[in-house]
């Protein structure tokens, strides 16, 4: 298992290094940004068990925060990214404090409402460029040394951030906090009866998830030198749910695979089928929900588990 | 003798229906106290009120002499009033050891540290094993809770509750749905862990109640019908008729 996993990790890292030689780097940058975003979302739905239907607010707000700090305040890109993360985390904390007492559909609706609020504020503001988008975000020089106008340098930055984000998520879910979160997800009343203030753990989870979504949003805005209202739109909040479920909830690789799948599908089909794109993605999503409940990665992992050890004497009761 | 847990005219109404009606319950320190009564008498509601999982409509609750009526469930649990649930309350996909560790972790290790590796919790393993030994579950430490037979899940639950070092344990039907052997095992276990603490339990099985409980309160339609030792309560004609509608043996009244 560990051997297999290490092999997989080595392959993944190697792929990250050689990929830009074969594929247009900016496409991979986009893929990685959405992979980080979906992984951040998975921290909520997969590991905390709460469906947020407003995750685009973190993604988009971070993009605008990066835009404002780098374009108007002339901050270097690394500080702009940190500003994006900070703003997203702050919004996550506030949204969490407001919404966390609600569960299920109510939590989803409150997060959706807050994200719509932010969307309409952004649409009213002069400086966001409204429907035209926020243009002219400078890529700048990373740490004053590396010129990010070079696509390969930018790719390097995004790839490193991607790896760090996955490491961070892995650490979070296996940390003492992650284990407390698991207990709360598995049996919330019991966790309460053991003295856990479950709401505080959920707020922290949402804040961390928002911060990572903010990293994704900042990187995307930096890469495209442009931030659009679409990144705050509820449709994106829905898309990230889809990416996660397609790829496999509660797995580290699932959201990455899901994000790659959805974005690639969009990229390859966009100029061929036009408006039918949504229908095709909808059908794919539907068949996934009906046939592969665990998602791409989840099903593969379950299949490997089954083929590896036929459990002697007892069948697993999952 | 001091009362560690006490309710004063406790009431709970659900949209006009009075599920708990002016209940004044007194639990003495160090005793095993049973709360019995027919289905729908309000036993579990009383538990939910005591542990603050439900807010009371009126009345007061005192724990160790302090008014806890307005407290929230988690801080109350931290003070030492810890409950179990009617439906087995384990963390199904965690191992038995991890289940107990979750309770230890809250008291003895970081719980918000998202930057630390999970292995910092292994220093709790020794203590968790001690607790598992107390309930004869040390051989099951690595088994996932979901894969345990029902009676064993109850043992895990009790070990987890013990990890809180509770002053008062509230057990909601600890032997419900168990086979004969499991009932005896869990009964012995409760008797054993009761040493040095107070237990309030909802129980249908009169053999268990007769065997280990010092004091019994009978609840009917939300109100206390009778209170006393098993001998006193089981001789009370009102109790017998409440249970069976006739004066038959109380022991036959298994839930």
């Amino acid at each position: 298992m560990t051997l297999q996993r290490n092999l997989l990790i080595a392959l993944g890292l190697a792929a990250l290094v050689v990929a830009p030689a074969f594929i247009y780097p900016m496409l991979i940058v986009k893929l990685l940004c959405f992979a980080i975003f979906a992984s951040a979302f998975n921290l909520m739905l997969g590991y905390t068990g709460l469906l947020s239907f407003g995750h685009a607010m973190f993604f988009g707000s971070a993009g605008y925060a990066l835009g404002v700090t780098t374009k108007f305040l002339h901050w270097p890109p690394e500080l702009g990214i940190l500003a994006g993360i900070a703003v997203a985390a702050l919004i996550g904390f506030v949204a969490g404090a407001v919404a966390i007492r609600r569960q299920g559909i109510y939590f989803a609706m409150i997060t959706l409402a807050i994200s719509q609020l932010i969307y309409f504020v952004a649409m009213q503001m002069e400086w966001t460029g409204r429907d035209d988008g926020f243009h002219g975000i400078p890529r700048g020089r990373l740490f004053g040394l590396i010129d990010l106008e070079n696509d390969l340098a930018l790719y390097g930055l995004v790839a490193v951030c991607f790896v760090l984000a996955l490491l961070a998520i892995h650490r979070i879910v296996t940390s003492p906090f992650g284990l407390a979160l698991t207990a709360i997800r598995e049996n919330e009343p019991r966790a309460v009866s053991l003295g856990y203030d479950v709401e505080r753990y959920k707020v922290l989870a949402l804040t961390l998830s928002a911060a990572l979504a903010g990293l994704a949003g900042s990187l995307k805005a930096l890469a495209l030198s442009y931030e659009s209202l679409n990144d705050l739109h509820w449709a994106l909040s829905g898309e990230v749910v889809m990416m996660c479920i397609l790829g496999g909830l509660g797995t580290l690789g699932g959201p990455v695979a899901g994000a790659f799948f959805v974005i690639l599908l969009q990229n390859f089909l966009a100029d061929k089928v036009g408006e039918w794109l949504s229908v095709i993605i909808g059908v794919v999503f539907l068949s996934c929900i009906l046939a592969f409940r665990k998602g791409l990665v989840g099903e593969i992992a379950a299949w490997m588990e089954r083929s590896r050890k036929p459990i002697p004497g007892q069948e697993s009761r999952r | 003798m001091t009362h560690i847990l006490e309710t004063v005219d406790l009431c709970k109404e659900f949209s006009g229906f009075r599920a708990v009606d002016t209940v004044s319950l007194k639990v003495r320190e160090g005793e095993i106290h049973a709360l019995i009564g027919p289905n729908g008498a309000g036993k579990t509601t009383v538990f939910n009120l005591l542990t603050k999982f439900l807010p009371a409509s009126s009345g007061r609750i005192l724990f160790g002499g302090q008014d806890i009526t307005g407290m929230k469930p988690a801080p109350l649990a931290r003070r030492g009033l810890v409950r179990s649930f009617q439906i087995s309350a384990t963390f199904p996909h965690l191992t038995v050891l991890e289940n107990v560790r979750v309770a230890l972790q809250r008291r003895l290790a970081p719980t918000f540290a998202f930057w630390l590796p999970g292995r910092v919790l292994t220093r709790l393993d020794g203590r968790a094993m001690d607790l598992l030994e107390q309930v004869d579950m040390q051989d099951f430490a690595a088994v996932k809770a979901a894969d345990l037979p029902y009676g064993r899940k109850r043992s895990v639950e009790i070990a987890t509750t013990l990890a809180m070092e509770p002053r008062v344990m509230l057990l909601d039907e600890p032997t419900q749905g168990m086979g004969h052997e499991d009932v005896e095992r869990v009964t012995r276990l409760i008797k054993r862990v009761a040493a040095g603490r107070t237990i309030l339990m909802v129980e249908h099985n009169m053999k268990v109640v007769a065997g280990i409980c010092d004091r019994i309160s009978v609840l009917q339609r939300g109100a206390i019908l009778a209170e006393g030792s098993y001998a006193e309560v089981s001789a009370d004609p009102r109790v017998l008729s409440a249970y069976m509608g006739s004066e038959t043996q109380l022991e036959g009244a298994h839930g």
Side-chain angles (χ1 to χ4, degrees):
Chain A
M1 180 64 181
T2 40
L3 185 76
Q4 266 176 348
R5 206 184 63 182
N6 290 343
L7 205 67
L8 218 61
I9 292 171
L11 273 176
L13 287 176
L16 270 182
V17 173
V18 298
F22 301 98
I23 310 167
Y24 178 51
M26 292 314 290
L27 173 62
I28 321 174
V29 162
K30 190 179 170 193
L31 290 175
L32 292 180
C33 287
F34 279 99
I36 298 173
F37 183 36
S39 302
F41 178 77
N42 185 37
L43 203 52
M44 279 317 278
L45 187 56
Y47 291 106
T48 315
L50 279 174
L51 171 61
S52 145
F53 205 78
H55 249 55
M57 66 177 146
F58 311 126
F59 190 78
S61 304
Y64 284 110
L66 173 117
V68 169
T69 51
T70 54
K71 184 181 172 185
F72 298 141
L73 307 178
H74 308 292
W75 287 13
E78 64 275 10
L79 287 184
I81 292 170
L82 285 180
I85 294 173
V87 165
L90 182 70
I91 296 174
F93 179 77
V94 173
V98 173
I100 218 75
R101 279 168 191 280
R102 301 285 169 269
Q103 279 171 343
I105 191 73
Y106 301 102
F107 181 78
M109 287 301 113
I110 294 176
T111 46
L112 172 63
I114 299 172
S115 80
Q116 285 299 88
L117 194 98
I118 291 178
Y119 176 82
F120 284 108
V121 168
M123 197 154 81
Q124 297 303 319
M125 293 286 156
E126 195 86 51
W127 59 265
T128 61
R130 298 182 178 161
D131 284 339
D132 298 332
F134 188 111
H135 288 269
I137 297 174
R139 283 191 188 172
R141 299 178 81 87
L142 188 67
F143 304 120
L145 296 171
I146 306 161
D147 186 6
L148 293 179
E149 289 301 333
N150 178 341
D151 279 355
L152 272 181
L154 185 91
Y155 171 79
L157 169 69
V158 173
V160 167
C161 286
F162 169 73
V163 172
L164 289 179
L166 286 193
L167 284 176
I169 290 170
H170 178 67
R171 172 49 68 84
I172 290 169
V173 301
T174 55
S175 71
F177 170 69
L179 294 173
L181 213 52
T182 307
I184 292 168
R185 189 188 67 229
E186 293 242 303
N187 193 336
E188 183 166 332
R190 182 53 169 163
V192 171
S193 81
L194 296 179
Y196 283 92
D197 293 311
V198 295
E199 276 132 19
R200 295 170 61 188
Y201 295 85
K202 291 180 186 172
V203 171
L204 178 56
L206 183 57
T207 308
L208 291 171
S209 171
L212 285 160
L215 170 68
S218 317
L219 288 174
K220 181 180 170 269
L222 186 72
L224 300 183
S225 302
Y226 163 76
E227 180 59 30
S228 132
L229 272 181
N230 287 339
D231 285 351
L232 281 175
H233 198 264
W234 63 266
L236 182 64
S237 299
E239 218 162 77
V240 76
V241 179
M242 201 161 72
M243 290 172 183
C244 260
I245 293 177
L246 273 179
L249 282 174
T251 60
L252 202 59
V256 177
F260 279 25
F261 183 78
V262 171
I263 300 291
L264 284 176
L265 205 64
Q266 285 175 348
N267 256 44
F268 287 130
L269 293 181
D271 48 350
K272 298 186 181 73
V273 296
E275 290 295 306
W276 284 94
L277 180 65
S278 318
V279 178
I280 292 173
I281 290 185
V283 168
V284 169
F285 187 53
L286 205 63
S287 33
C288 171
I289 296 277
L290 293 175
F292 320 104
R293 295 278 295 275
K294 298 191 181 91
L296 296 172
V297 172
E299 289 293 345
I300 293 170
W303 176 76
M304 276 178 13
E305 188 100 343
R306 274 199 301 274
S307 62
R308 198 158 42 89
K309 50 160 189 184
I311 303 160
Q314 66 173 101
E315 58 274 76
S316 152
R317 247 173 288 169
R318 295 281 288 272
Chain B
M1 194 169 247
T2 53
H3 296 118
I4 186 157
L5 188 61
E6 193 178 343
T7 69
V8 183
D9 297 334
L10 194 62
C11 294
K12 179 65 189 177
E13 279 183 34
F14 295 107
S15 48
F17 168 67
R18 202 160 248 220
V20 173
D21 193 2
T22 53
V23 166
S24 294
L25 189 70
K26 288 182 168 66
V27 181
R28 292 175 182 165
E29 181 141 31
E31 284 194 346
I32 302 182
H33 193 127
L35 197 57
I36 66 170
N39 285 329
K43 304 179 297 285
T44 298
T45 308
V46 168
F47 258 43
N48 283 333
L49 293 173
L50 286 174
T51 49
K52 306 312 300 167
F53 274 69
L54 277 177
S57 303
S58 66
R60 292 194 306 145
I61 306 166
L62 303 171
F63 173 48
Q66 278 183 307
D67 194 324
I68 58 161
T69 318
M71 275 183 88
K72 286 194 188 309
L76 181 58
R78 293 198 289 269
R79 281 219 200 158
L81 186 69
V82 185
R83 71 174 295 179
S84 74
F85 293 83
Q86 197 165 2
I87 299 152
S88 164
T90 56
F91 303 110
H93 297 129
L94 299 184
T95 66
V96 167
L97 186 78
E98 286 167 337
N99 262 274
V100 178
R101 227 170 52 182
V102 168
L104 290 172
Q105 184 190 350
R106 219 265 311 124
R107 290 197 302 123
L108 306 168
T111 56
F112 284 106
F114 58 84
W115 57 91
L116 289 178
R119 63 174 178 273
V120 301
L121 297 178
T122 53
R123 68 184 159 88
L124 301 174
D125 286 357
R127 257 184 125 115
M129 281 308 282
D130 286 348
L131 287 160
L132 286 178
E133 267 167 42
Q134 283 188 43
V135 299
D136 286 327
M137 288 293 290
Q138 64 274 28
D139 298 337
F140 296 84
V143 180
K144 281 210 169 121
D147 295 335
L148 289 173
Y150 185 76
R152 296 283 175 181
K153 281 185 195 164
R154 281 295 188 187
S155 300
V156 174
E157 221 188 302
I158 289 173
T160 310
T161 306
L162 284 176
M164 296 285 290
E165 296 191 352
R167 291 174 70 193
V168 178
M169 284 170 83
L170 284 81
L171 307 176
D172 198 352
E173 304 201 21
T175 67
Q176 185 209 32
M178 279 184 191
H180 206 67
E181 276 177 35
D182 272 341
V183 169
E184 276 179 20
R185 199 173 52 76
V186 170
T187 309
R188 264 181 283 134
L189 181 58
I190 292 171
K191 181 79 188 160
R192 195 169 358 136
V193 302
R197 41 177 77 83
T198 310
I199 291 181
L200 176 64
M201 59 196 270
V202 168
E203 185 54 69
H204 275 298
N205 189 327
M206 286 307 145
K207 264 194 193 139
V208 176
V209 173
I212 63 171
C213 294
D214 302 299
R215 207 172 163 76
I216 296 156
S217 299
V218 186
L219 213 59
Q220 190 200 17
R221 290 194 212 109
I224 288 185
L225 184 67
E227 209 162 38
S229 68
Y230 181 76
E232 288 162 10
V233 166
S234 61
D236 192 324
R238 288 174 307 168
V239 174
L240 295 179
S241 72
Y243 254 86
M244 304 304 288
S246 68
E247 300 190 5
T248 33
Q249 266 302 112
L250 192 56
E251 214 169 272
H254 294 181

